[in-house]
Coordinates of all heavy atoms in Angstrom, one line a residue:
A54 N 8.3 44.2 262.0 CA 8.1 43.6 263.3 C 9.1 44.1 264.4 O 8.7 44.3 265.5 CB 8.2 42.1 263.3
L55 N 10.3 44.5 263.9 CA 11.2 45.0 264.9 C 11.0 46.4 265.3 O 11.2 46.8 266.4 CB 12.6 44.9 264.3 CG 13.8 45.2 265.2 CD1 13.8 44.3 266.4 CD2 15.1 45.1 264.5
S56 N 10.4 47.2 264.4 CA 10.2 48.6 264.7 C 8.9 48.8 265.4 O 7.9 48.8 264.9 CB 10.2 49.4 263.4 OG 10.1 50.7 263.6
D57 N 9.1 49.1 266.7 CA 7.9 49.3 267.6 C 7.2 50.7 267.2 O 6.0 50.8 267.4 CB 8.2 49.3 269.1 CG 8.7 47.9 269.5 OD1 8.3 46.9 268.9 OD2 9.6 47.9 270.4
T58 N 8.0 51.6 266.9 CA 7.5 53.0 266.6 C 7.0 53.1 265.2 O 6.4 54.1 264.8 CB 8.6 54.0 266.8 OG1 9.6 53.8 265.9 CG2 9.1 54.0 268.2
G59 N 7.2 52.1 264.3 CA 6.8 52.2 263.0 C 7.8 52.8 262.0 O 7.7 52.7 260.8
S60 N 8.8 53.5 262.6 CA 9.9 54.1 261.8 C 11.2 54.1 262.5 O 11.3 54.5 263.6 CB 9.5 55.5 261.4 OG 10.5 56.1 260.6
D61 N 12.2 53.6 261.8 CA 13.6 53.6 262.4 C 14.5 53.8 261.2 O 14.3 53.1 260.1 CB 13.9 52.2 263.0 CG 15.3 52.2 263.5 OD1 16.2 52.0 262.7 OD2 15.5 52.3 264.7
P62 N 15.4 54.8 261.2 CA 16.2 55.1 260.1 C 17.0 53.9 259.5 O 17.1 53.7 258.3 CB 17.1 56.2 260.6 CG 16.5 56.7 261.8 CD 15.6 55.7 262.4
T63 N 17.5 53.1 260.4 CA 18.3 51.9 260.0 C 17.4 50.9 259.3 O 17.7 50.4 258.2 CB 19.0 51.2 261.2 OG1 19.8 52.2 261.8 CG2 19.9 50.1 260.7
L64 N 16.2 50.6 259.9 CA 15.3 49.7 259.3 C 14.8 50.2 257.9 O 14.6 49.5 257.0 CB 14.2 49.3 260.2 CG 14.5 48.5 261.4 CD1 13.3 48.4 262.3 CD2 15.1 47.2 261.1
D65 N 14.5 51.5 257.9 CA 14.0 52.1 256.7 C 15.1 52.0 255.6 O 14.7 51.8 254.4 CB 13.6 53.6 256.9 CG 12.4 53.8 257.8 OD1 11.6 52.8 257.9 OD2 12.2 54.9 258.3
A66 N 16.3 52.2 255.9 CA 17.4 52.0 255.0 C 17.5 50.6 254.5 O 17.8 50.4 253.3 CB 18.7 52.5 255.6
I67 N 17.4 49.6 255.4 CA 17.4 48.2 254.9 C 16.3 47.9 254.0 O 16.4 47.3 253.0 CB 17.4 47.3 256.2 CG1 18.7 47.4 257.0 CG2 17.2 45.8 255.7 CD1 18.6 46.8 258.4
K68 N 15.1 48.4 254.3 CA 13.9 48.2 253.4 C 14.1 48.8 252.1 O 13.9 48.2 251.0 CB 12.6 48.8 254.0 CG 12.0 48.0 255.1 CD 10.7 48.7 255.5 CE 10.5 48.6 257.0 NZ 9.2 49.3 257.4
A69 N 14.6 50.1 252.1 CA 14.9 50.8 250.8 C 16.0 50.0 250.0 O 15.8 49.9 248.8 CB 15.4 52.2 251.1
Y70 N 17.0 49.5 250.7 CA 18.0 48.7 250.0 C 17.4 47.5 249.3 O 17.7 47.2 248.2 CB 19.1 48.4 251.0 CG 20.2 47.5 250.4 CD1 21.2 48.1 249.6 CD2 20.2 46.1 250.5 CE1 22.2 47.3 249.1 CE2 21.1 45.3 249.9 CZ 22.2 45.9 249.2 OH 23.1 45.2 248.6
L71 N 16.6 46.8 250.1 CA 16.0 45.6 249.5 C 15.1 45.9 248.3 O 15.1 45.3 247.3 CB 15.2 44.9 250.6 CG 14.4 43.6 250.2 CD1 15.4 42.5 249.7 CD2 13.5 43.1 251.3
E72 N 14.3 47.0 248.5 CA 13.4 47.3 247.4 C 14.1 47.8 246.1 O 13.7 47.5 245.0 CB 12.4 48.4 247.9 CG 11.4 47.9 248.9 CD 10.6 49.0 249.6 OE1 10.7 50.2 249.2 OE2 9.8 48.7 250.5
S73 N 15.2 48.5 246.3 CA 15.9 49.0 245.2 C 16.8 48.0 244.5 O 17.0 48.1 243.3 CB 16.7 50.3 245.5 OG 17.8 50.0 246.4
T74 N 17.4 47.1 245.3 CA 18.4 46.1 244.7 C 17.8 44.7 244.5 O 18.3 44.0 243.6 CB 19.6 46.0 245.6 OG1 19.3 45.4 246.8 CG2 20.3 47.4 245.8
G75 N 16.8 44.4 245.3 CA 16.3 43.0 245.3 C 17.3 42.0 245.9 O 17.1 40.8 245.8
N76 N 18.4 42.5 246.5 CA 19.5 41.6 247.0 C 19.1 41.1 248.4 O 19.4 41.8 249.4 CB 20.8 42.3 247.0 CG 22.0 41.4 247.4 OD1 21.8 40.4 248.0 ND2 23.2 41.8 246.9
I77 N 18.4 40.0 248.4 CA 17.9 39.5 249.7 C 19.0 39.1 250.6 O 18.9 39.4 251.8 CB 17.0 38.3 249.4 CG1 15.7 38.7 248.6 CG2 16.5 37.6 250.7 CD1 14.9 37.5 248.1
G78 N 20.0 38.5 250.1 CA 21.1 38.1 251.0 C 21.8 39.2 251.7 O 22.0 39.2 252.9
A79 N 22.1 40.3 251.0 CA 22.8 41.4 251.6 C 21.9 42.1 252.6 O 22.3 42.6 253.6 CB 23.3 42.4 250.5
A80 N 20.6 42.3 252.2 CA 19.6 42.9 253.1 C 19.5 42.1 254.3 O 19.4 42.7 255.4 CB 18.3 43.1 252.3
F81 N 19.5 40.8 254.2 CA 19.3 39.9 255.3 C 20.5 40.1 256.3 O 20.3 40.2 257.5 CB 19.2 38.5 254.9 CG 18.8 37.5 256.0 CD1 17.5 37.4 256.3 CD2 19.8 36.8 256.6 CE1 17.1 36.5 257.4 CE2 19.4 35.9 257.6 CZ 18.1 35.8 258.0
G82 N 21.7 40.2 255.7 CA 22.9 40.4 256.5 C 22.8 41.7 257.3 O 23.2 41.7 258.5
K83 N 22.3 42.7 256.7 CA 22.2 44.0 257.3 C 21.1 43.9 258.5 O 21.3 44.5 259.5 CB 21.7 45.1 256.3 CG 22.8 45.5 255.3 CD 22.2 46.4 254.3 CE 23.1 46.7 253.1 NZ 24.2 47.6 253.5
L84 N 20.1 43.2 258.2 CA 19.1 43.0 259.2 C 19.6 42.2 260.4 O 19.3 42.5 261.6 CB 17.8 42.3 258.6 CG 16.6 42.3 259.4 CD1 16.1 43.7 259.8 CD2 15.5 41.5 258.7
V85 N 20.4 41.2 260.1 CA 21.0 40.4 261.2 C 21.8 41.3 262.1 O 21.8 41.2 263.3 CB 21.8 39.2 260.6 CG1 22.7 38.6 261.7 CG2 21.0 38.2 260.0
D86 N 22.7 42.1 261.5 CA 23.5 43.0 262.2 C 22.6 43.9 263.1 O 23.0 44.2 264.3 CB 24.3 43.9 261.3 CG 25.4 43.1 260.6 OD1 25.7 42.0 261.0 OD2 25.9 43.6 259.5
F87 N 21.5 44.4 262.6 CA 20.6 45.3 263.3 C 20.1 44.6 264.5 O 20.1 45.1 265.7 CB 19.5 45.8 262.4 CG 18.6 46.8 263.1 CD1 19.0 48.1 263.2 CD2 17.5 46.4 263.8 CE1 18.1 49.1 263.8 CE2 16.6 47.3 264.4 CZ 17.0 48.6 264.4
Y88 N 19.5 43.4 264.3 CA 19.0 42.6 265.5 C 20.1 42.3 266.5 O 19.8 42.3 267.7 CB 18.4 41.3 265.0 CG 16.9 41.3 264.6 CD1 16.5 41.6 263.3 CD2 15.9 41.1 265.5 CE1 15.2 41.6 262.9 CE2 14.6 41.1 265.2 CZ 14.2 41.4 263.9 OH 12.9 41.4 263.5
A89 N 21.2 41.9 266.0 CA 22.3 41.6 267.0 C 22.7 42.8 267.8 O 22.9 42.7 269.0 CB 23.5 41.0 266.2
A90 N 22.8 43.9 267.2 CA 23.2 45.2 267.9 C 22.1 45.5 268.9 O 22.4 46.1 270.0 CB 23.4 46.3 266.9
A91 N 20.8 45.2 268.6 CA 19.7 45.5 269.5 C 19.6 44.4 270.6 O 18.7 44.6 271.5 CB 18.4 45.6 268.7
G92 N 20.4 43.3 270.5 CA 20.3 42.3 271.5 C 19.0 41.5 271.3 O 18.4 40.9 272.3
K93 N 18.5 41.3 270.1 CA 17.2 40.7 269.9 C 17.3 39.5 269.0 O 16.4 39.3 268.1 CB 16.2 41.7 269.3 CG 15.9 42.9 270.3 CD 14.8 43.8 269.7 CE 14.5 44.8 270.8 NZ 13.3 45.6 270.3
I94 N 18.3 38.7 269.1 CA 18.5 37.5 268.2 C 17.4 36.5 268.4 O 16.9 36.0 267.4 CB 19.9 36.9 268.4 CG1 21.0 37.8 267.9 CG2 20.0 35.6 267.8 CD1 20.9 38.1 266.5
T95 N 16.9 36.3 269.6 CA 15.8 35.3 269.9 C 14.6 35.8 269.2 O 13.9 35.0 268.5 CB 15.6 35.1 271.4 OG1 16.8 34.7 272.0 CG2 14.5 34.1 271.7
E96 N 14.3 37.1 269.3 CA 13.1 37.6 268.7 C 13.2 37.5 267.1 O 12.3 37.2 266.4 CB 12.9 39.1 269.1 CG 11.7 39.8 268.5 CD 11.6 41.2 268.9 OE1 12.2 41.6 269.9 OE2 11.0 42.0 268.1
F97 N 14.4 37.7 266.7 CA 14.7 37.6 265.2 C 14.4 36.2 264.7 O 13.7 36.1 263.7 CB 16.2 37.9 265.0 CG 16.7 37.8 263.6 CD1 16.3 38.7 262.6 CD2 17.6 36.8 263.3 CE1 16.7 38.5 261.3 CE2 18.0 36.7 262.0 CZ 17.6 37.5 261.0
V98 N 14.9 35.2 265.4 CA 14.6 33.8 264.9 C 13.1 33.5 265.0 O 12.5 32.9 264.0 CB 15.4 32.8 265.8 CG1 15.0 31.4 265.5 CG2 16.9 33.0 265.5
A99 N 12.4 33.9 266.0 CA 11.0 33.7 266.1 C 10.2 34.4 265.0 O 9.3 33.9 264.4 CB 10.5 34.2 267.5
N100 N 10.7 35.6 264.7 CA 10.1 36.4 263.6 C 10.3 35.7 262.2 O 9.4 35.8 261.4 CB 10.5 37.8 263.6 CG 9.9 38.7 264.7 OD1 8.8 38.3 265.2 ND2 10.5 39.7 265.1
I101 N 11.5 35.2 262.1 CA 11.8 34.5 260.8 C 10.8 33.4 260.6 O 10.2 33.2 259.5 CB 13.2 33.9 260.8 CG1 14.3 35.0 260.7 CG2 13.4 33.0 259.6 CD1 15.7 34.6 260.8
I102 N 10.6 32.5 261.6 CA 9.7 31.4 261.5 C 8.3 31.8 261.2 O 7.6 31.3 260.3 CB 9.8 30.5 262.7 CG1 11.2 29.9 262.8 CG2 8.8 29.4 262.7 CD1 11.6 29.2 264.1
S103 N 7.9 32.8 261.9 CA 6.5 33.3 261.8 C 6.3 33.9 260.4 O 5.3 33.6 259.7 CB 6.2 34.3 262.8 OG 5.0 35.0 262.6
T104 N 7.2 34.8 260.0 CA 7.0 35.4 258.7 C 7.2 34.5 257.5 O 6.5 34.6 256.5 CB 7.9 36.7 258.5 OG1 9.3 36.2 258.6 CG2 7.6 37.7 259.5
M105 N 8.0 33.5 257.6 CA 8.2 32.5 256.5 C 6.9 31.7 256.3 O 6.5 31.5 255.2 CB 9.4 31.6 256.8 CG 10.8 32.3 256.8 SD 11.3 32.8 255.2 CE 11.6 31.3 254.4
T106 N 6.3 31.4 257.4 CA 5.0 30.6 257.4 C 4.0 31.4 256.7 O 3.3 30.9 255.8 CB 4.6 30.2 258.8 OG1 5.6 29.4 259.3 CG2 3.3 29.4 258.7
K107 N 3.8 32.7 257.1 CA 2.8 33.6 256.5 C 3.1 33.8 255.0 O 2.2 33.7 254.2 CB 2.7 34.9 257.2 CG 2.1 34.8 258.6 CD 2.2 36.2 259.3 CE 1.8 36.0 260.7 NZ 2.1 37.3 261.5

Side-chain angles (χ1 to χ4, degrees):
L55 185 60
S56 180
D57 297 327
T58 62
S60 180
D61 178 282
T63 304
L64 292 177
D65 291 342
I67 294 169
K68 283 186 217 179
Y70 177 82
L71 178 62
E72 290 169 6
S73 68
T74 67
N76 188 335
I77 296 169
F81 190 82
K83 293 173 186 283
L84 191 59
V85 166
D86 292 342
F87 184 86
Y88 270 92
K93 297 185 175 186
I94 292 297
T95 303
E96 181 181 337
F97 176 68
V98 172
N100 283 337
I101 289 173
I102 294 167
S103 173
T104 58
M105 294 291 288
T106 300
K107 289 175 189 171

